[in-house]
Amino acid sequence: MAQFESPIREPLITGNKTYKQITDDIATPTEGTPPISWMIAFGISLTLLMIGFITIGYTIFKGIGVWGLNKTVGWAWDITNFVWWVGIGHAGTLISAILLLFRQKWRTAVNRAAEAMTIFAVMCAGLFPLIHMGRIWDAFFIFPYPNTRGPLWPNFHSPLLWDVFAISTYLTVSVLFWYAGLIPDVATLRDRAKGKFRKFAYGFMAFGWTGSAKQWQRFEYLALVLAGLATPLVLSVHTIVSFDFATSVVKGWHTTIFPPYFVAGAVFSGFAMVLSLMLITRKLFKLEDYITIGHIESMNKVILLTGSIVGVAYLTELFMAFYSAERYELFAFKYNRIQGPLAWAYWIMMSCNVISPQIFWFKKARRNIYITFIMSIFINIGMWFERFVIIVTSIYQDFIPSSWTYYKPTWVEVGIYLGTFGLFFTLFFLFARTLPVIAIAEVKSILRTSGDQFRRKTLEKVDDEPVYQDVEVGQLAQKG
Amino acid sequence: MKTKQVNNIEPVDMKHDLQVAKQEETPSAAIPVLDYVTDSLQQSKTSRRDFLKTMGFSVSAAALAASCEIPIKKAIPYLNQPEHITPGKALYYASSYFDGKGFSNILVKTRDGRPIKIDANPDAPMGSSASATTQASIISLYDHTRFQAPQLNGEEASWEQVDSSMKAALSKVNGQVVLLTGAVISPTVQAAIDQFSAQYNARHVVFSAHGADAVLLANEEQFGQKAVPVYQFQNAEVVASFGADFLGNWLGGTSFYAKDYISNRKISADNPTMSRHYQVESMMSLTGMNADKRKAMKPSAVKAALFQLHNILAGKMGSSSVSGVGETDQTEFLTAMADDLAAARGKALVVCGLNDVECQKAANAINSILGSYGSTINFGKTLNTIQGDSKEAMQVLADMKSGRIGAVLMHGANPVFHSPAGEEFAAELEKIDLVASFDMSPNESNAFASHILPDSHYLEGWADYEPVSGSMAMAQPTIRPLFNTRQFGESLARLSGEKFEEDQSFVNYMQNAWSSKFGSSFQETWDNAVRAGFMEADSSTETSSAPFSAGNMSYTATSAGESELVLYEDKIGNGEHAGNPYLQELPDPVTKVSWDNYAAISPKYARELGVYVNRNVRPAREMSPVITLTANGKSVDVPVYVQPGVAYGTIAVARGYGRNVAGLVGSDIGVNVNPLAPVNDGVASNFTPVEIAKTGKSYELANSQVHYTINDDRPTVREATLEQYQENHKAGNEFRYLPEFEHAVEPTLYPEKEFPAHHWGMTVDLNSCFGCGACVVACNVENNVPVVGKDEMANHREMHWIRIDRYFASANEDPKSDDYMEDPKAVFMPMMCQHCDNAPCENVCPVNATNHSSEGLNQMAYNRCIGTRYCANNCPFKVRRFNWYDYWGADSWGDANDIKKNEVNSQMRNEFSRMILNPDVTVRSRGVIEKCSFCVQRIQEAKLDAKINNKGLDANTIKTACQSACPADAIVFGDTNNKTSTVHENMKDPRNYFVLEEYHVKPSVGYLTKVTNADVAMFDKSMEGIWKTALENNEHGDGHGDGHGEEGDHGVNSHGETGTHGATNQEDNDH
């Protein structure tokens, strides 16, 4: 994938790295005893996971009644969390698939972690459609399996069924993509491994990778094929998730704008989550040379774009509610969201998702780690509230005023949400300790074109050329 | 077991089998698989593969068998099949219900020897209907907290022991024997009481728990009869009520007056007239919510208004007026009322609910001026259910204090709770030598009893009743007594020395009494009475009058306090039904609060007192501030409920709550306000000045409908005035006939569903429904709908399949304004599953658990439901109910789901309460959605019957539970495909509309517009906004087309035949 790249571009790998150094930098965190900081973080994650186990067990044992739902509000935190986690996953697929097809080299530093994040997020997400069922023990009814009941098939009209297919396909392709990309790196770990178990484990996972030219060729092809498969998924998964709402008659759900709006929102929140995670990982694992400010800026640009798309979608909804003069729809937006008992949620969503990301019009903000981190948290909060606003504020006061209610979560729902954080971070920390968080092979593949030492060499050559003299390329190259 | 079987397959057997197979097959036709079975394989021991298979199977089988312990439930068939009982077939018994105040002729449905449902007896002569209280009374049969055996000094004892101890105690009693009972309307029981009184020189006192004795006293003075006449609302064209909640709990209440009143409110194209109903009251009552013209004022002002009306009418009609009556600020309103009443002279009726003798005398005088006696009031018959004299009851207390009473025997009277002087009663009962109780259940008064001789439940015993003089009714047992109980009459008779043979009981005593009365015709009379449930001794419908003498009428202005308190009764009466979970859970028709009583205060007054909670805009679980009410020298703390329609300065609180000892669920619900009632001249008043103090505390009320107005011009409820209706039968419903609207509901990409055979549908006449809630309880009992308890009600998780939505409209709907909702109008709307032909719930279910039948029913397959709740979210009517917990304890999770009292009402989950379950209806497990099924079990039963009898289904045979319970016949169910059915007729009525029809969900439940005999239609807001604009445009389009419109309107019976008004005009203009 090495092709020509303009020397005045910012280097993607800084710090005069050699190939050996890259291997060492990335592989070291997976070897040796974990640092105390990792232990503490992992302990916290495990605690949260336990809270999740307990609260989910309590829900299954007692019934959905332990949640704060009621006759009017049938979904709240459960489906909010589901959509939120699915959305989080989208950045991974976008980075690994679409950016691969677009030959965006900066993806190499973040794609591995982002893909892992996708898988873990989808696992967290998949939990909610299961546990929100009143009778989880009959969950297999939703699969179209041959049976003696008629045979009785699921309802292919139902978007919930489409969800089952969409999410399971998504998880499968994501795992394949992630694992296929891991193979050369796992082989590297295998070759460095000391100790019988490590050798065996990595050896087993590496599928006998030797690094021959033929293997590399097939590897590249497989990556492209999987990217081709995953690309439509980026669009389809959240489109189908949006159908969960769009195909209903509920005002505030029944909207044709939902598919693009949901996909943009998913990418938006996914990038925010990638940023939150990578800013911490790069610091903890000292990977600043691979995940540079340039990377962060690129991601902030995506956030600005998708955030603005989401903002336009919000305004479009408002305009359509007004322009259609549809009394129930107008009410849903005017009195359920902008005003009304749950207006606070709407305005948290608006300020976190639409107003505050506008700061990224400023380059200084885009390249500021602290602002980026705070914004990434804001966006995660805002996108959670977006789903909450869509789900709860649309149904708690709907067509027939006699059934209007309100919704407040119980400790069980909060516990389950925390539990999914536990699941996510437990898996992420395990991943970070056992597998390379940055794709070693892929980073190496761009070292010659994007490493700063090679850039400098090229620039030294072009310094002699008079045409470039008035450009302060040296300074540019050294920035960041 | 299975493991063994698999392991037992020996290789030898296998070989043998194969050899047999080989011998049978010719070599050429050998099954190819046999080729694989080489000799070596045949000889081999169990292969690795077999081992793994066996292993896998046995491990999973063992795991399955070990992990799912399913409780064993036995269904044992009859050893000897009893006569008449066919398993799976219901038996109906005609009987009667009497709870000390309310009376109904009923039909009791039994299945396998268990009574499971009560309905009104449709053949009964007295327009009887079964109110919510009657419907719900069936659960009290299965109340295991009632007395299960006779008791002596707190210990269980045998009947012989208790009887002999009683006789001994009665014979040596030092002082008078007093028998305190509720109203006695049974001639045989009365005879037993007389016999007992003669034997022991006892004094029988009827203790009124319901505060209606002022009517009796006034009638005694003015008519010489201490009785309540029969009010005939069906003859009244103008009804004026001064604080009488006759549709709720006034005198005969729902069961007696609802049907008659509603018969004059029904409206149709053939008979476009209806009565006019004025209501002057202090609280917002169920009756007031149905009034055409209503004024809310303090009780003292209601009294003043009644007297002013009297004087206006007296002036008009030239009779003498009462002196000392000033002019109220409602002169204009009262003059208009007087004009209407006077114009309808002979067809007018004035009723008064204030328990004040002066007021009742004034009401009698007004009725006399209006010539009501002999037309709308029949003094030829009396309503016997109203008995009791507070004066006499207070005299008992005085006598107890003076030590003249040696024994108190009680049945149906609970003076410690009911009486304003309850504490004094308690103190005196403590001192009395012999306190005995014949009550069915423990209560506050019989806690002092040394002898308990428990009465049977009314469904377990025989009784004869004379609720209205001259009309006899019968009650017969529908089940053998569940516990060791004995009927009250029998206990009394035995104590009086009456001889009962070994196997004899009250029925023999009753038959003896009857045979002496009827002589030779006894057997025939008896048989007919038992079969029919009633006996029409006097079939004359003649209405007679009684000589009226105004007597000494006077007006004493009751001291008008700054705040005044009104005490009223709701569904649980004066506490006698507090232990009934169905009734406690039934939201109050007015406030929609369940499981509590509260101080209802108008919004404006609440704001002034600083206790305002606007639930209308904050539908959260709001806490209610608690206030202290002080009156009659007593104080109680009551939570505030802001209720539009309560008079400014008035506080209304329901009696009957705050009981300490009250059955299944009734203890410690709400507060007892009986002590607040002042006793004037021995009459316990139901209104009094009161002092209010804030406490700073707060309390949570379970409110099932928090929002009470219809916002932003939603056409949910459509209304017209009588005048508008007379002009145009589509009034209020016009836009349904606009071309724009028809266009909006027509187009679809999908083929329309067809229902070639039946298409079940329902219509609800909003003009008839008066909101009582009988349908809700009937549905609960019929369909095994669980009771969920207060906390779950507060969580908005009621399971009711049908609910009564109630909405208010006010001239000023700005919540910030001062007079917001001060003079509201109300409307009720029963809402159940609409069985949409294009149901939004159906297509979103991932597992096809809810789908459409070929007869238009939206049906639930509970077994298939996995509980995603998407259907409930997508239901625009919000009628789907989710089983949040295991409410009936039906799941195999066992004790794991024994949820504490506050979470789920676990008192309903015992072996007795479960006997009420209808075996025709599945008990839903936790985690599934349920909803109204249009009583599909009744449809199936009727279809089967028709099939067996080889005949078609009659048009109106099938009645849903809500329909047969409705005292107003507002609900009509049937086959809309059947052109002779009532529902088909109703669907064609120009008043008919479907809720949310514009969403093309195609509901099967039609609503007929509400028509009020008022000046403006308050709920006609739907005509504003875009529809009004569309209508105006359409009318402008008419230009000279008015004539067509008129033509179109005249004689329109069905829009289907004559074409629609708007559309016709439009087309005419276009051509």
Side-chain angles (χ1 to χ4, degrees), chain B residues 803-1029:
Chain B
R803 59 172 200 262
I804 312 285
D805 293 347
R806 64 98 181 79
Y807 298 105
F808 295 113
S810 152
N812 191 338
E813 290 206 356
D814 174 14
K816 291 188 189 84
S817 71
D818 200 36
D819 58 344
Y820 167 61
M821 283 286 160
E822 279 303 298
D823 187 17
K825 275 213 51 171
V827 69
F828 293 104
M829 180 178 219
M831 182 58 74
M832 70 300 285
C833 175
Q834 305 283 301
H835 292 270
C836 312
D837 286 342
N838 208 359
C841 52
E842 286 170 16
N843 63 327
V844 297
C845 174
V847 293
N848 269 329
T850 185
N851 47 50
H852 221 65
S853 87
S854 57
E855 298 177 356
L857 293 179
N858 169 253
Q859 48 195 11
M860 272 301 303
Y862 303 121
N863 273 348
R864 181 69 175 164
C865 179
I866 54 173
T868 66
R869 299 184 296 288
Y870 195 170
C871 55
N873 286 337
N874 209 25
C875 172
F877 307 98
K878 288 288 170 280
V879 293
R880 293 184 150 257
R881 299 286 177 255
F882 183 70
N883 283 272
W884 302 98
Y885 293 109
D886 177 15
Y887 293 113
W888 282 108
D891 291 356
S892 56
W893 291 70
D895 293 341
N897 266 358
D898 270 344
I899 292 149
K900 66 176 196 283
K901 186 189 170 190
N902 286 351
E903 272 182 300
V904 172
N905 177 28
S906 53
Q907 287 94 327
M908 280 285 278
R909 293 172 45 177
N910 58 71
E911 54 179 339
F912 290 105
S913 296
R914 280 202 203 125
M915 285 170 79
I916 203 179
L917 292 174
N918 182 357
D920 291 332
V921 180
T922 314
V923 172
R924 281 75 62 185
S925 78
R926 156 156 87 77
V928 304
I929 286 274
E930 60 183 65
K931 53 148 207 101
C932 161
S933 68
F934 266 174
C935 285
V936 66
Q937 67 278 7
R938 295 186 174 205
I939 298 176
Q940 288 304 106
E941 194 185 11
K943 277 163 65 183
L944 275 175
D945 273 350
K947 206 174 208 175
I948 289 166
N949 299 329
N950 205 14
K951 59 171 190 188
L953 209 50
D954 286 342
N956 295 321
T957 317
I958 306 173
K959 283 187 159 58
T960 58
C962 50
Q963 178 184 14
S964 45
C966 182
D969 293 326
I971 299 174
V972 174
F973 175 80
D975 181 2
T976 55
N977 279 355
N978 187 334
K979 300 241 171 348
T980 59
S981 67
T982 316
V983 73
H984 180 80
E985 279 302 307
N986 284 352
M987 290 267 183
K988 288 196 305 182
D989 193 299
R991 282 166 63 209
N992 183 54
Y993 70 94
F994 299 97
V995 181
L996 297 178
E997 193 176 5
E998 58 272 35
Y999 284 94
H1000 198 63
V1001 293
K1002 307 189 92 184
S1004 296
V1005 179
Y1007 289 85
L1008 303 181
T1009 50
K1010 184 164 177 75
V1011 181
T1012 49
N1013 200 348
D1015 303 328
V1016 282
M1018 294 279 245
F1019 289 92
D1020 197 23
K1021 290 184 302 178
S1022 54
M1023 295 308 296
E1024 293 166 15
I1026 54 163
W1027 285 114
K1028 188 164 191 179
T1029 318

Side-chain angles (χ1 to χ4, degrees), chain B residues 72-94:
Chain B
I72 298 161
K73 287 173 183 166
K74 290 173 185 153
I76 304 167
Y78 286 113
L79 191 59
N80 296 311
Q81 179 76 34
E83 214 181 343
H84 307 308
I85 290 188
T86 315
K89 271 277 184 199
L91 274 177
Y92 293 84
Y93 293 97

Side-chain angles (χ1 to χ4, degrees), chain B residues 237-238 313 316-317 337-346 348 370:
Chain B
E237 277 175 12
V238 179
L313 280 169
K316 258 178 163 351
M317 305 285 187
M337 189 198 291
D339 289 345
D340 268 353
L341 285 167
R345 192 177 185 280
L370 292 171

Side-chain angles (χ1 to χ4, degrees), chain B residues 691-908:
Chain B
E691 278 168 37
I692 304 168
K694 286 204 275 182
T695 61
K697 287 184 276 189
S698 61
Y699 181 83
E700 186 177 39
L701 292 171
N703 196 356
S704 71
Q705 184 185 342
V706 282
H707 194 89
Y708 47 65
T709 63
I710 298 175
N711 292 55
D712 65 325
D713 313 336
R714 296 180 184 209
T716 317
V717 174
R718 302 179 191 175
E719 190 201 19
T721 62
L722 180 63
E723 217 169 294
Q724 287 168 337
Y725 177 77
Q726 284 165 344
E727 263 173 45
N728 174 13
H729 293 335
K730 294 167 192 151
N733 199 18
E734 291 100 334
F735 60 78
R736 184 157 190 260
Y737 299 96
L738 294 177
E740 290 89 337
F741 182 78
E742 297 202 338
H743 179 69
V745 296
E746 277 316 312
T748 172
L749 289 173
Y750 296 96
E752 293 288 339
K753 286 187 188 121
E754 280 176 17
F755 303 97
H758 304 290
H759 184 269
W760 305 112
M762 185 180 267
T763 54
V764 181
D765 184 356
L766 294 180
N767 218 35
S768 301
C769 174
F770 64 97
C772 67
C775 50
V776 179
V777 178
C779 175
N780 286 352
V781 179
E782 169 76 17
N783 291 304
N784 302 337
V785 174
V787 171
V788 298
K790 182 188 165 184
D791 214 49
E792 286 293 280
M793 286 298 280
N795 273 334
H796 299 290
R797 289 176 183 168
E798 70 270 22
M799 297 301 289
H800 296 162
W801 284 7
I802 178 171
R803 59 172 200 262
I804 312 285
D805 293 347
R806 64 98 181 79
Y807 298 105
F808 295 113
S810 152
N812 191 338
E813 290 206 356
D814 174 14
K816 291 188 189 84
S817 71
D818 200 36
D819 58 344
Y820 167 61
M821 283 286 160
E822 279 303 298
D823 187 17
K825 275 213 51 171
V827 69
F828 293 104
M829 180 178 219
M831 182 58 74
M832 70 300 285
C833 175
Q834 305 283 301
H835 292 270
C836 312
D837 286 342
N838 208 359
C841 52
E842 286 170 16
N843 63 327
V844 297
C845 174
V847 293
N848 269 329
T850 185
N851 47 50
H852 221 65
S853 87
S854 57
E855 298 177 356
L857 293 179
N858 169 253
Q859 48 195 11
M860 272 301 303
Y862 303 121
N863 273 348
R864 181 69 175 164
C865 179
I866 54 173
T868 66
R869 299 184 296 288
Y870 195 170
C871 55
N873 286 337
N874 209 25
C875 172
F877 307 98
K878 288 288 170 280
V879 293
R880 293 184 150 257
R881 299 286 177 255
F882 183 70
N883 283 272
W884 302 98
Y885 293 109
D886 177 15
Y887 293 113
W888 282 108
D891 291 356
S892 56
W893 291 70
D895 293 341
N897 266 358
D898 270 344
I899 292 149
K900 66 176 196 283
K901 186 189 170 190
N902 286 351
E903 272 182 300
V904 172
N905 177 28
S906 53
Q907 287 94 327
M908 280 285 278

Side-chain angles (χ1 to χ4, degrees), chain A residues 261-455:
Chain A
Y261 157 25
F262 265 54
V263 172
V267 173
F268 183 50
S269 66
F271 268 81
M273 193 56 139
V274 171
L275 274 175
S276 309
L277 286 180
M278 294 316 286
L279 287 177
I280 296 172
T281 314
R282 116 191 233 277
K283 184 82 191 161
L284 281 181
F285 292 171
K286 301 188 176 56
L287 297 174
E288 286 95 337
D289 287 335
Y290 304 97
I291 304 164
T292 64
I293 295 293
H295 286 94
I296 292 165
E297 191 187 1
S298 299
M299 289 195 269
N300 281 339
K301 282 177 184 165
V302 177
I303 282 179
L304 182 59
L305 172 72
T306 50
S308 303
I309 294 176
V310 167
V312 169
Y314 295 164
L315 298 178
T316 310
E317 278 187 324
L318 294 186
F319 174 74
M320 286 316 294
F322 153 76
Y323 187 65
S324 66
E326 218 282 289
R327 70 185 95 196
Y328 299 103
E329 180 136 349
L330 191 60
F331 186 88
F333 284 93
K334 198 171 164 194
Y335 296 103
N336 284 356
R337 295 193 182 172
I338 296 179
Q339 309 166 22
L342 279 172
W344 56 273
Y346 184 79
W347 289 108
I348 289 178
M349 172 192 95
M350 272 300 201
S351 43
C352 287
N353 289 353
V354 183
I355 299 165
S356 61
Q358 302 309 322
I359 197 172
F360 285 144
W361 286 108
F362 303 100
K363 185 165 184 155
K364 268 193 179 147
R366 286 201 300 270
R367 299 182 71 90
N368 183 309
I369 290 180
Y370 299 102
I371 290 178
T372 304
F373 187 73
I374 291 167
M375 282 312 303
S376 74
I377 300 294
F378 267 28
I379 290 163
N380 279 320
I381 294 172
M383 285 309 290
W384 190 90
F385 271 100
E386 180 199 294
R387 277 65 180 251
F388 180 80
V389 163
I390 288 170
I391 292 170
V392 178
T393 64
S394 301
I395 51 178
Y396 82 119
Q397 298 188 352
D398 66 343
F399 296 95
I400 306 286
S402 71
S403 291
W404 289 4
T405 61
Y406 191 70
Y407 166 78
K408 275 179 192 166
T410 63
W411 62 273
V412 184
E413 284 158 293
V414 179
I416 292 173
Y417 185 44
L418 292 178
T420 53
F421 275 106
L423 177 65
F424 182 84
F425 281 106
T426 304
L427 292 169
F428 193 82
F429 285 131
L430 281 176
F431 156 74
R433 280 297 307 168
T434 50
L435 294 167
V437 286
I438 291 175
I440 304 173
E442 296 206 40
V443 168
K444 282 178 183 170
S445 74
I446 61 164
L447 183 65
R448 269 202 173 274
T449 51
S450 306
D452 58 351
Q453 70 273 40
F454 295 101
R455 281 279 168 79

Side-chain angles (χ1 to χ4, degrees), chain B residues 101 241-254 257 279 281 283-290 351-353 568-570 590:
Chain B
K101 183 184 178 199
S241 164
F242 286 78
D245 185 12
F246 57 86
L247 293 175
N249 275 289
W250 180 73
L251 303 186
T254 315
Y257 307 129
Q279 184 92 4
E281 61 181 2
M283 57 174 287
M284 191 65 164
S285 72
L286 181 62
T287 311
M289 287 172 82
N290 287 286
V351 288
C352 173
Y568 66 98
E569 284 177 24
D570 66 5
V590 181

